[in-house]
Each structure stands twice: as structure tokens, then as C-alpha cells.
């Protein structure tokens, strides 16, 4: 902001005012970050760090195993298992994109898995090989209790075109 | 055949835009007007050419030419024609062509003005816009070709290519994969194009700003020439954001309209910079100040436009908005970087030329308050940008990815938004250069007194939430101040000219459309603020699994589950549609039909809420699921959303205000000689 920073008598109070506002904004950003920050971990990292995560909410990303999805409609209780997906973009790139990486991760029998419980509406996008991002806490029972469930389906615009139209 | 024509037209357009940029710059440097003219013709040629290419894509989409990869990926037999046509912007390749088409249209339209004394700007305007166009076209010509055919390669892979790869056989699938069901909605007709129009139109003020810097014009011609374009870009961007919120509310079924999704933020960022720009250019026009800052703002706005496009197209993020992962990410990144750095270097090089003509004198002067407004908009921009990039930064610094969610944005942006509301109440009462707290206080005390009644009434009406009380008081103050301004203006005209009320109002607005259009926009913002506070603070929800005939209660509402029907449609959906009755205070008020549509082709369900909408509140029901055993017990999630309609109504008022403000161009030309039109400081 050129004019304000220019030296001239009487401009001091504007400089000071501008400085105070900028300081206030920086404070707002810093304190809100502090208050709302969540660790974003893979399942491997979650198990590796164990208990030293303290009381914070954690975000975990993994790939949904479609066979494990159970939904109790009456109690709105959703349970499913997610398998570890590497967070490293290069590794995902090497696998041939996110969709392919998710597929590989799910097929890998050695990939660590985590059982997730979520109370609420079953999202439309929850299905096999979708990437799930769950926010919540690890329970004593070894089940991850999610308050928030986000899904990404990178296959949505990709993949092969079916060569034969389905019947019906 | 059509695909070949389309592709070669794209190649031709790419060459034309390159030639246009080169010829115009060469002509300007060597002082050869015939080259500039030739560059201009090349530029004017791009729009008809891109119209042909777009028409070719639309024809392929509408007639189901699934041998084209793009057509097969975004359309299917079961889609209605309007969605097949709008699938043009439903996928990466087509949307880039659509973007280029809009840009060619805008640049051509902007270049058809009378250039007269601004002729020196023309070649550089051509150069900047044609380089940008060439960039977008290079993406479709080399990377994301919408006309590429599907082939089955020798090793059994499906590939897309323009020419037959060796050993590959052509594929001609009978049906396509179809558009993502979430996008199969009438909103598809208007939300993406509105945003694109907004995004693309910002290239015009940006190009003029660059042309002015290159030609060392230090006056505010570039701002005056592009005033209308800036408003057009801004209104479409605003509309795109509001319509996106409405669409999410109608379709995504989480009872909200804005989720601080990175791609939403990506569209909000240029809007924030553009809104700051809209205010601060007035300071330059009136006082010859903030010249550097305005150039910075337009560069920032335009870079953020590119950044937003990049975010949704690079595969960096995936959300409802994201297209497939793509090779064009790095290209975009480089282009944004180069644009930003070259523009800023140019500004620094011309720094001395843009010295301000005045200094800030009074804290309560209009220019100081506009500056404060800019600080707050930049603050919200910084907060939002920080939220998007924080995970990347934390990973770089600590090796640990840490994210922030909606609470971060709400907590940090809330106070800044409140500050903007308060400013909106004070700034209209200030004058350029000379107001003091006394003059402001004199004009403010009456509306301030009236608006104090609002929190008192609300408090005794049972509203005790401090955020709500504070927000409603500030919003009411803006409303009263703004209406009071209208009232005083009208009364003054009545006294001076003896006009009746409607005529006085009409002339008042007509003589100073930018000012009063701005006030109408502020009133729209007030309505939206009321709505946002209403739903954010007072939204309630419940859920229940019901057998037919059972009911669930939420506040004053009771909902009974009457019936359900499950059936297939002829466009490839399986629909579960419930019938529920809504009672308010014991009286039957409505019957709603929440649905769940399952799309066979993409194996995805879409939840469509049933909504009873009134001015006071929305009763919003989602059909969560059916009990698989009984096939008739259903689970519902029910939301009560107070005042949410004010958001949409506010959006309409907001748009009307902008249309009034665009009137400034014609209004000003007519009234250029009358002193009342050019005088905008308070008397």
C-alpha cells in the first residue's frame, strides 16, 4: 500500500493503525490455527505414534473396503474398515494416480487396517475403493470413532468405458 | 469427421492467438500500425473459430458419439439433452474449450470499443489477452484434447489419441459413463458458467492494467475503461458463488450451503481481492491515491482466478468440483508463477510513475475507511488462503501434515466479517479527505439509536447468543444507515425539485447509480448476514427411524411418515421416494417428498431433500435409508434452518444493486455535464 508507507508528517497514526490491524489479523490466524489444528495421519502413522497424540482430534485417510461396510439404519451406526494408503504424493504418482494407488492399497494383504465407526447419515459416496477421510478419536476398544466422514472418489471421471451397456 | 474439423480449428485458433500476440507487440515496438491491425484481426478471428470448435463438441455430445473419449466420459444415453449439452463444462477438456471461448468473446467485445486516445493501449491489450488464450488453447491442443478418439491398444489398454496408435483398434462403445450424478441437476446450466464468466471477465481489467504499465500511462484510464468489465466480472463471480451454495443446499443433503471446501475457497479468493479492488479504485478516481495498490489488487485478483482454475483442474484436490487428475497441473503452476512475477516486476519497474497525488489526512475520511475495508478483505483472504495451504506448510516445516477445518475459518473470519459490517455502516456517512468523528457521529446517531432497539427486542424475545446479538445489531445498523441515506436523498430532491416520492427515488438513484447501486448491494449483504447468522447459530436437527404412520418432532414441527415408493425410472435411476406430512403447531402445513436416487451407470446414490421453505425458516428432510428387511421402515434426518431464505433473497437484492451500479456507464455518459453526477462526496 504505497501511499501509506510513504514518509510524511501526520502519516504516523495511519502507519500505526495499519500495523495494529495487520497484527490483529496475524493473531487471529495464529490463534485459530492453534485452536482448530488437526493431525492428518495415515493409518501406519497412527499406529506408530500410538498414545503420544494426546487429546486432539485426528484426521485419518484410508481406502474403504467395500465388503466391510455395515450400516445399521435404525441407529444410524456405520461401520467399515479402511486400509492404509501412503500419503506420499510421489508414491501415489508412481502407482499411476490416486485411483490406482487406492486400488493397490486395498489389494495389499499386508496393508494395515483400521475399523471405523461413525454415527450419522451414510454418505452417498461411500463405496469400495473410495478414499475416506475420517476425523475423530481412537477409542479404547481399538475402533476409531469418527465425528466427520469425508469421501473422495477419484474414479469418478476416470476409468474405462464399459464396452457393453448393462442390461436393464 | 466433425472431430477432425474441431481439432484442426483448435490448432488454427492456437496459432492465430500466438500470431496475434506477436504481431501486436511487434507492431507496437517497431511503430508499425499495420502489424497491430493484423494482430487485432487475428484476435477477432479467435471467437468465431472457437465457436465452431465448441459447436463441434456440443454436436458430438448431443448425438452420442461415444467413440470420442471426452463424450464417453461425461455423457450417457440416459441423460436428458440439456445435460448432454452442458456436459461441455462437465469435464476437463470441454471446460477448457468453454473457458477459451468465453475469453475470446470477452476480449473481442472489449476490443471493439472506440480506442481514440487510448490507441496506444491496444497492442498490449491484444498481447496480454492472446498470450493467456494461447496458454489455455495449448492445454487442449497438446494435453487435454476433447476430440481425441478411444482406442484399444495392442496390450489391451483403453487409450485416447487423435491419431491411431500403432497396433490399436478403434473403440466405439454403445454408451458412455455419464456425468457424475451430483452434477445432473439444472444448476449445471448456470452455476459453472456464472463462475467462468466471472473468472474470465477479470482478464479485461488485468490486461488493461498491464497495457497501462507497459505504455507508462499513470492516469486512471485503465480503471475507467474497465469499470463496467470489473462489475460484470464481479457480479458473475458473486452469482456463481451464491448459486453454488444454493445447489449444495438443494442436492448435497447435509443441510448446509458452504463447507469451506478448498475449491469453494478457491473461488472465494478472487472474489475477495476483486471486492477490495472495487472499493479501492474509487479512491484512485476521486483522490489519485492508492495507485500501486490498485495494480497489485488486479494482479492478485487475476492470479487468484488462475489459481482457482488450477486447483480445480490439476488433481491437487478432489471434491465435488474437481476434475480428474491431469498432466496440466505443472503447466498451470508455471503459467501462474510467470504471470504473477512478470506483472509484479513490471509494476516495480514503473513504481515511481505511480506516485500518489494526495496523502491520508483524516482517520474518518472516506479514503481511510476504504483502506480499512481493503485491510479487512485482505485479512479474510489471508485467513482463507492460509487454511488451504497450511497442511502443505506444516508438512514442509514439521514433516507432519496438520489440517484446519471449518471451525478455523469461522473463528478467524467471523470478527473480520463483523468489522466489515460495522464499516459498511460508517463509511457511507464519510466524505473524501475531510470527515471527522464529529461529522460522522452527527449522521450516525439517529440510525444507531434505532438499531439499538434490535438487540433489546431480540434479547427479550429469547435470543441470548452473543454472536447472534452482535451480528444482528451490526447488520441492522447497516440497514438503518443505508435506508436513512436513501430517505435523506429523496427528501432533499423533494424539497429542491418538488418531485413525488417514486420519481425522487428514481432520479436519486439514476443520477448517482454507482453510489446507490452500492447501497442496494449493501442491503443485499445485510439480508444475507441475517440469513447466515440464522442458520449458523440456530440450526437444529434430529433423526429418527419411523414405521409408516409414526412421527418425529423438531421444535414447533411434527413430521409424519406416510408412505414410500421404490421404482425404476427410464433414465437409469432407482428412486426411493418417501411421502411425509409436516405439521406446524398442530396444523398440517405441507407434504414433502425426500428422495434417494440410485444411478445404475455410475453406481452412485444422490440424496434429494424435501424442503418446506418460508421466509422465516426451512423445514428440510433427508431420506437416509430404508430398512432392508421390512422395506418400509425409513430413517430420516430432519433439519430446521431459520432464516436461510434470506441468503437467497439477499443474493437477488445484491444482483439488482450491481445491475444498478453498471448503469453508471450509460447514466454517466448522459449526465456527464451535470455537476450532481460527478460529485459523489457528501455535502
Amino acid at each position: 500500500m504505497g501511499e501509506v508507507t510513504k514518509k510524511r508528517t501526520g502519516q504516523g497514526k495511519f502507519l500505526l493503525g495499519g500495523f495494529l490491524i495487520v497484527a490483529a489479523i496475524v493473531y487471529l490466524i495464529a490463534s485459530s490455527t492453534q485452536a482448530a489444528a488437526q493431525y492428518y495421519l495415515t493409518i501406519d502413522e497412527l499406529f506408530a505414534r500410538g498414545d503420544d497424540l494426546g487429546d486432539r482430534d485426528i484426521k485419518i485417510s484410508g481406502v474403504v473396503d467395500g465388503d466391510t461396510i455395515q450400516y445399521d439404519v435404525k441407529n444410524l451406526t456405520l461401520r467399515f474398515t479402511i486400509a492404509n494408503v501412503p500419503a506420499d504424493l510421489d508414491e501415489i504418482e508412481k502407482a499411476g494416480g490416486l485411483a490406482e494407488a487406492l486400488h493397490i492399497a486395498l489389494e495389499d494383504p499386508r496393508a494395515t487396517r483400521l475399523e471405523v465407526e461413525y454415527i450419522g447419515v451414510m454418505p452417498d459416496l461411500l463405496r469400495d475403493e473410495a478414499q475416506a477421510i475420517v476425523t475423530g478419536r481412537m477409542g479404547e476398544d481399538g475402533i476409531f470413532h469418527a465425528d466427520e466422514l469425508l469421501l473422495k472418489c477419484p474414479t469418478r471421471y476416470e476409468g474405462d468405458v464399459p464396452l457393453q451397456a448393462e442390461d436393464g | 469427421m466433425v472431430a477432425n474439423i474441431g481439432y484442426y480449428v483448435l490448432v488454427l485458433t492456437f496459432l492465430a492467438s500466438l500470431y496475434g500476440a506477436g504481431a501486436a507487440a511487434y507492431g507496437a515496438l517497431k511503430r508499425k500500425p499495420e502489424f497491430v491491425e493484423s494482430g487485432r484481426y487475428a484476435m477477432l478471428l479467435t471467437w468465431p473459430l472457437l465457436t465452431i470448435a465448441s459447436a463441434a463438441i456440443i454436436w458430438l455430445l448431443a448425438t452420442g458419439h461415444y467413440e470420442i473419449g471426452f463424450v464417453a466420459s461425461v455423457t450417457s444415453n440416459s441423460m436428458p439433452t440439456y445435460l448432454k449439452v452442458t456436459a461441455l463444462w462437465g469435464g476437463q477438456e470441454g471446460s477448457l474449450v468453454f473457458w477459451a471461448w468465453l475469453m475470446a468473446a470477452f476480449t473481442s467485445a472489449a476490443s471493439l470499443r472506440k480506442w481514440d486516445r487510448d490507441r496506444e493501449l491496444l497492442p498490449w491489450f491484444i498481447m496480454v489477452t492472446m498470450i493467456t488464450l494461447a496458454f489455455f488453447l495449448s492445454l487442449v491442443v497438446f494435453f487435454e484434447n476433447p476430440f481425441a478418439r478411444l482406442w484399444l491398444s495392442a496390450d489391451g489398454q483403453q487409450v485416447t489419441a487423435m491419431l491411431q496408435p500403432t497396433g490399436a483398434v478403434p473403440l466405439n462403445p454403445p454408451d458412455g459413463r455419464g456425468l457424475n450424478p451430483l452434477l445432473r441437476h439444472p444448476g449445471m446450466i448456470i452455476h459453472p458458467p456464472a463462475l467462468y464468466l466471472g473468472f474470465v471477465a477479470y482478464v479485461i481489467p488485468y490486461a488493461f492494467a498491464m497495457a497501462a504499465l507497459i505504455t507508462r500511462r499513470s492516469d486512471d484510464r485503465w480503471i475507467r475503461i474497465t469499470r463496467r468489465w470489473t462489475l460484470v466480472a464481479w457480479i458473475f463471480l458473486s452469482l456463481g458463488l451464491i448459486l453454488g451454495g444454493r445447489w449444495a443446499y438443494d442436492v448435497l443433503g447435509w443441510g448446509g450451503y458452504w463447507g469451506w471446501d478448498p475449491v469453494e475457497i478457491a473461488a472465494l479468493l478472487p472474489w475477495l481481492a476483486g471486492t477490495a479492488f472495487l472499493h479501492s479504485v474509487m479512491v484512485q478516481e476521486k483522490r489519485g491515491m492508492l495507485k500501486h495498490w490498485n495494480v497489485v489488487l488486479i494482479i492478485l485478483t487475476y492470479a487468484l482466478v488462475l489459481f482457482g482454475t488450477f486447483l480445480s483442474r490439476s488433481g491437487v484436490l478432489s471434491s465435488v468440483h474437481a476434475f480428474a487428475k491431469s498432466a496440466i497441473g505443472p503447466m498451470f503452476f508455471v503459467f501462474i508463477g510467470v504471470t504473477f512475477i512478470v506483472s509484479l516486476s513490471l509494476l516495480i519497474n514503473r513504481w515511481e510513475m505511480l506516485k500518489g497525488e494526495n496523502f491520508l489526512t483524516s482517520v474518518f475520511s472516506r479514503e481511510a475507511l476504504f483502506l480499512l475495508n481493503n485491510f479487512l478483505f485482505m485479512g479474510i483472504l489471508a485467513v482463507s488462503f492460509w487454511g488451504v495451504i497450511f497442511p502443505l506448510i506444516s508438512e514442509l516445516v514439521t514433516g507432519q501434515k496438520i489440517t484446519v477445518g471449518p471451525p478455523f475459518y469461522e473463528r478467524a473470519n467471523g470478527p473480520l466479517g463483523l468489522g466489515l459490517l460495522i464499516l459498511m455502516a460508517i463509511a457511507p456517512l464519510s466524505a473524501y479527505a475531510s470527515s471527522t468523528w464529529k461529522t460522522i457521529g452527527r449522521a450516525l446517531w439517529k440510525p444507531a439509536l434505532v438499531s439499538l432497539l434490535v438487540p433489546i427486542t431480540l434479547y427479550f424475545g429469547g435470543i441470548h447468543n452473543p454472536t447472534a446479538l452482535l451480528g444482528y445489531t451490526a447488520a441492522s445498523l447497516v440497514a438503518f444507515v443505508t435506508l436513512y441515506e436513501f430517505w435523506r436523498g429523496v427528501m432533499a430532491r423533494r424539497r429542491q425539485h418538488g418531485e413525488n416520492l417514486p420519481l425522487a427515488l428514481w432520479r436519486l438513484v439514476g443520477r448517482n447509480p454507482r453510489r446507490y447501486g452500492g447501497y442496494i448491494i449493501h442491503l443485499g449483504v445485510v439480508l444475507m448476514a441475517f440469513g447466515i447468522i440464522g442458520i449458523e447459530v440456530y440450526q437444529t436437527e434430529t433423526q429418527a427411524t419411523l414405521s409408516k404412520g409414526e412421527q418425529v418432532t423438531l421444535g414447533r414441527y411434527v413430521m409424519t411418515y406416510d408412505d414410500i415408493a421404490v421404482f425404476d425410472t427410464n433414465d437409469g435411476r432407482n428412486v426411493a421416494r418417501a411421502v411425509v406430512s409436516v405439521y406446524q403447531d398442530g396444523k398440517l402445513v405441507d407434504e414433502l417428498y425426500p428422495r434417494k436416487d440410485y444411478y445404475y451407470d455410475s453406481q452412485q446414490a444422490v440424496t434429494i431433500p424435501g424442503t418446506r421453505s418460508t421466509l422465516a425458516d426451512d423445514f428440510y428432510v433427508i431420506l437416509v435409508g430404508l430398512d432392508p428387511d421390512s422395506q418400509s421402515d425409513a430413517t430420516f434426518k430432519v433439519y430446521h434452518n431459520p432464516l436461510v431464505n434470506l441468503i437467497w433473497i439477499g443474493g437477488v437484492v445484491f444482483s439488482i444493486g450491481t445491475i444498478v451500479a453498471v448503469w453508471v456507464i450509460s447514466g454517466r455518459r448522459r449526465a456527464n455535464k451535470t455537476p450532481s453526477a460527478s460529485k459523489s462526496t457528501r455535502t
Side-chain angles (χ1 to χ4, degrees):
Chain A
M1 298 190 194
E3 281 70 30
V4 206
T5 49
K6 219 170 284 173
K7 268 270 150 289
R8 215 202 107 157
T9 41
Q11 299 291 293
K13 58 184 171 188
F14 295 104
L15 264 179
L16 183 68
F19 177 78
L20 285 179
I21 296 166
V22 171
I25 292 169
V26 169
Y27 168 76
L28 266 177
I29 293 179
S31 68
S32 304
T33 307
Q34 188 68 30
Q38 295 161 338
Y39 283 112
Y40 191 7
L41 306 171
T42 64
I43 299 174
D44 281 350
E45 285 165 342
L46 173 71
F47 288 144
R49 312 234 343 206
D51 296 331
D52 66 317
L53 288 167
D55 224 13
R56 280 190 176 278
D57 268 6
I58 322 164
K59 248 187 165 71
I60 309 280
S61 144
V63 53
V64 176
D65 182 349
D67 296 336
T68 62
I69 300 175
Q70 284 179 335
Y71 190 41
D72 176 355
V73 181
K74 276 218 170 65
N75 300 312
L76 297 185
T77 307
L78 180 64
R79 276 186 186 221
F80 56 93
T81 303
I82 52 177
N84 185 61
V85 181
D88 193 352
L89 278 174
D90 292 338
E91 265 180 66
I92 291 173
E93 193 69 40
K94 240 184 279 164
L98 185 56
E100 204 50 38
L102 291 176
H103 178 74
I104 293 171
L106 193 56
E107 297 290 293
D108 180 3
R110 286 162 305 147
T112 44
R113 276 152 207 262
L114 176 69
E115 199 178 339
V116 178
E117 186 182 273
Y118 170 75
I119 313 277
V121 179
M122 176 158 142
D124 293 334
L125 292 173
L126 184 75
R127 61 170 180 222
D128 199 32
E129 291 190 16
Q131 185 190 9
I133 297 165
V134 290
T135 312
R137 280 147 206 252
M138 201 66 201
E140 298 286 320
D141 47 5
I143 296 174
F144 189 83
H145 297 270
D147 314 315
E148 196 188 287
L149 169 57
L150 238 156
L151 289 149
K152 298 179 174 181
C153 289
T155 49
R156 223 181 302 150
Y157 293 111
E158 284 167 20
D160 289 353
V161 179
L163 290 182
Q164 223 135 53
E166 277 172 52
D167 292 329
Chain B
M1 179 61 194
V2 173
N4 284 342
I5 294 175
Y7 182 68
Y8 292 118
V9 167
L10 280 184
V11 174
L12 196 63
T13 322
F14 172 62
L15 296 175
S17 54
L18 278 183
Y19 171 78
Y26 179 79
L29 288 174
K30 299 280 170 191
R31 304 197 183 285
K32 289 181 173 161
E34 63 276 19
F35 275 92
V36 176
E37 204 50 23
S38 163
R40 189 161 91 110
Y41 285 130
M43 165 197 231
L44 290 174
L45 200 59
T46 57
W47 185 68
L49 285 176
L50 281 169
T51 306
I52 296 172
S54 307
I57 303 177
I58 289 174
W59 186 79
L60 293 167
L61 287 169
T63 52
H65 276 261
Y66 300 120
E67 77 274 15
I68 309 293
F70 173 66
V71 175
S73 70
V74 293
T75 58
S76 62
N77 290 330
S78 62
M79 282 163 59
T81 309
Y82 84 91
L83 280 178
K84 285 185 183 172
V85 171
T86 53
L88 173 64
W89 49 78
Q92 177 85 274
E93 299 88 339
S95 77
L96 287 169
V97 173
F98 180 59
W99 175 287
W101 180 79
L102 282 177
M103 180 170 233
F106 281 179
T107 48
S108 301
S111 78
L112 288 176
R113 65 189 307 279
K114 276 209 208 76
W115 286 85
D116 298 338
R117 63 195 169 109
D118 306 312
R119 186 150 282 278
E120 69 203 70
L121 297 178
L122 174 65
W124 304 110
F125 171 78
I126 296 173
M127 186 192 77
V128 173
T129 54
M130 286 302 104
I131 287 176
T132 316
L133 186 63
F135 167 71
F136 276 92
L137 288 171
S138 72
L139 297 179
V140 280
V141 166
F142 299 113
F143 298 96
E144 299 285 347
N145 176 5
F147 296 107
R149 290 187 184 81
L150 278 173
W151 307 91
L152 195 62
S153 71
D155 54 352
Q157 296 278 330
Q158 274 189 22
V159 291
T160 52
M162 202 59 218
L163 299 170
Q164 187 163 18
T166 38
V169 287
L171 278 178
N172 196 353
D175 198 355
R177 285 190 306 120
L179 200 62
N180 174 5
L182 288 172
L183 301 181
R184 297 185 198 179
H185 182 273
M188 190 68 190
I189 304 174
I190 174 148
H191 162 64
L195 266 182
Y196 282 23
L197 281 164
F199 272 19
V200 175
Y202 270 116
V203 76
I204 308 291
Y206 167 76
F208 271 99
M210 290 303 105
L213 283 185
I214 294 170
T215 55
R216 298 175 187 277
R217 294 267 302 243
S218 64
D219 56 6
D220 58 7
R221 273 305 285 169
W222 70 274
I223 289 173
R224 290 180 188 274
I225 292 170
T226 59
R227 192 145 67 190
R228 186 195 260 164
W229 286 103
T230 310
L231 277 173
V232 165
W234 189 73
I235 184 61
F236 278 115
L237 198 48
S238 312
L239 267 181
L241 287 166
I242 295 168
L243 287 165
R246 177 74 215 215
W247 189 357
Y249 185 75
D250 284 346
V251 169
L252 294 184
W254 90 88
Y257 51 90
W258 182 265
W260 295 105
D261 165 303
V263 182
E264 286 172 357
I265 296 174
L268 179 69
L269 295 177
W271 185 87
L272 291 167
T275 311
F277 178 72
L278 219 55
H279 288 95
S280 75
V281 289
M282 289 190 255
V283 177
Q284 180 167 351
E285 287 179 29
K286 293 287 188 297
R287 300 275 295 153
M289 296 161 67
L290 304 183
K291 291 180 180 180
H292 302 116
W293 179 235
N294 286 326
V295 178
V296 169
L297 274 181
I298 195 65
I299 293 172
L300 186 65
T301 306
Y302 188 60
L304 288 171
V305 160
L306 293 174
F307 179 69
T309 318
F310 160 73
L311 271 190
S312 56
R313 270 163 192 74
S314 59
V316 170
L317 305 161
S318 38
S319 75
V320 183
H321 300 94
F323 295 102
K325 184 163 170 53
S326 162
I328 66 178
M331 304 267 303
F332 246 109
F333 205 68
V334 170
F335 185 70
I336 296 170
V338 169
T339 303
F340 198 61
I341 291 167
V342 169
S343 313
L344 281 186
S345 314
L346 190 59
L347 170 64
I348 291 164
N349 191 271
R350 303 286 195 263
W351 195 264
E352 284 305 308
M353 169 190 110
L354 294 172
K355 274 215 158 75
E357 293 153 27
N358 284 296
F359 288 95
L360 285 173
T361 47
S362 152
V363 179
F364 286 98
S365 63
R366 178 74 66 96
E367 57 268 33
L369 294 175
F370 270 156
L371 197 56
L372 183 56
N373 146 308
N374 271 226
F375 267 104
L376 292 176
F377 273 113
M378 287 301 109
I380 296 178
L381 195 149
V383 167
S384 309
F385 187 72
W386 174 255
V388 175
I389 59 160
F390 180 64
L392 305 174
I393 293 179
S394 75
E395 198 171 15
L396 270 180
V397 176
T398 65
Q400 181 63 64
K401 205 167 183 177
I402 302 174
T403 66
V404 291
F408 162 78
Y409 298 102
E410 283 156 14
R411 192 176 179 280
N413 283 337
L416 297 172
L418 185 70
L420 276 175
L421 268 181
I422 294 170
L423 205 53
M424 222 187 267
I426 300 175
L429 302 172
S430 65
Y432 284 101
S434 61
S435 8
T436 63
W437 64 270
K438 268 188 192 153
T439 58
I440 301 230
R442 255 204 303 279
L444 191 64
W445 72 270
K446 275 189 240 168
L449 219 55
V450 179
S451 65
L452 269 183
L453 291 175
V454 171
I456 295 172
T457 321
L458 288 177
Y459 191 84
F460 287 107
I463 289 185
H464 298 152
N465 180 301
T467 312
L469 286 176
L470 210 58
Y472 280 136
T473 310
S476 312
L477 182 63
V478 181
F480 290 130
V481 165
T482 312
L483 293 173
Y484 187 53
E485 280 290 283
F486 272 100
W487 176 253
R488 292 195 334 166
V490 167
M491 283 301 133
R493 283 200 76 84
R494 276 187 70 163
R495 271 198 309 278
Q496 278 174 19
H497 307 282
E499 294 161 353
N500 59 24
L501 265 181
L503 184 68
L505 182 63
W506 177 258
R507 292 233 169 115
L508 178 76
V509 176
R511 288 286 147 82
N512 207 338
R514 183 149 64 151
R515 179 167 176 190
Y516 288 99
Y519 287 170
I520 297 172
I521 295 172
H522 286 180
L523 288 175
V525 174
V526 165
L527 287 173
M528 290 168 97
F530 267 86
I532 290 169
I533 297 169
I535 184 172
E536 292 300 330
V537 180
Y538 291 104
Q539 183 181 52
T540 50
E541 57 175 80
T542 186
Q543 59 206 23
T545 302
L546 306 175
S547 299
K548 282 183 194 168
E550 288 183 338
Q551 61 185 42
V552 58
T553 308
L554 180 65
R556 295 163 60 200
Y557 287 94
V558 174
M559 182 193 95
T560 2
Y561 168 39
D562 300 332
D563 204 2
I564 185 125
V566 182
F567 53 90
D568 278 343
T569 62
N570 54 15
D571 56 357
R573 284 175 297 157
N574 179 271
V575 176
R577 177 175 175 274
V579 182
V580 301
S581 302
V582 183
Y583 298 83
Q584 187 180 15
D585 300 330
K587 234 172 55 195
L588 177 70
V589 287
D590 215 339
E591 193 173 78
L592 301 176
Y593 315 99
R595 283 187 0 232
K596 214 173 185 65
D597 292 10
Y598 180 80
Y599 285 80
Y600 287 109
D601 55 3
S602 49
Q603 296 159 38
Q604 191 184 321
V606 174
T607 308
I608 294 142
T611 313
R612 169 185 160 76
S613 199
T614 65
L615 205 55
D617 55 11
D618 273 20
F619 186 83
Y620 184 102
V621 191
I622 295 165
L623 174 62
V624 177
L626 268 180
D627 180 45
D629 301 327
S630 68
Q631 282 296 315
S632 77
D633 288 1
T635 305
F636 296 93
K637 182 142 193 172
V638 185
Y639 292 90
H640 179 241
N641 298 332
L643 298 180
V644 65
N645 260 315
L646 291 185
I647 300 179
W648 322 125
I649 296 170
V652 173
V653 173
F654 189 98
S655 311
I656 293 172
T658 318
I659 292 165
V660 168
V662 174
W663 188 8
V664 80
I665 313 299
S666 41
R668 228 156 239 264
R669 245 177 230 151
R670 232 183 306 117
N672 232 353
K673 289 114 213 163
T674 65
S676 69
S678 55
K679 195 169 66 177
S680 145
T681 45
R682 283 177 55 83
T683 44

